[in-house]
Amino acid sequence: MSRLRLGPIVEEKPVKATVELTGKLARDLADYAAAHAKENGLSEPLSIERLIPPMLERFVATDRGFARARR
């Protein structure tokens, strides 16, 4: 398996948000959490709620179009 884009997750003060996910996306995120836990040596996968924010951070940080629009 190739390396996942999401590395170790750093704790920060959370801000609450509510989202609705499709069943398929929820299952995919659960599978991703399991792969992430295995790759990072965690004993248990993170919950979907804890996984989504770092994924979004990574997406925004690496979106070149968004970076250009910000300048």
Side-chain angles (χ1 to χ4, degrees):
M1 178 177 184
S2 63
R3 305 246 341 140
L4 300 177
R5 287 182 171 228
L6 189 62
I9 298 187
V10 178
E11 286 288 330
E12 287 195 29
K13 183 177 178 181
V15 175
K16 275 257 193 225
T18 302
V19 297
E20 287 188 30
L21 306 174
T22 63
K24 180 180 179 340
L25 179 56
R27 288 187 299 276
D28 288 346
L29 288 171
D31 290 345
Y32 191 98
H36 178 267
K38 184 176 180 181
E39 187 169 295
N40 287 282
L42 302 175
S43 59
E44 290 186 21
L46 295 173
S47 68
I48 291 173
E49 294 84 359
R50 291 267 302 117
L51 186 64
I52 292 172
M55 292 180 91
L56 290 174
E57 280 181 3
R58 174 78 177 176
F59 174 80
V60 169
T62 59
D63 186 309
R64 291 180 184 168
F66 179 64
R68 279 192 300 275
R70 268 188 149 173
R71 286 187 244 143

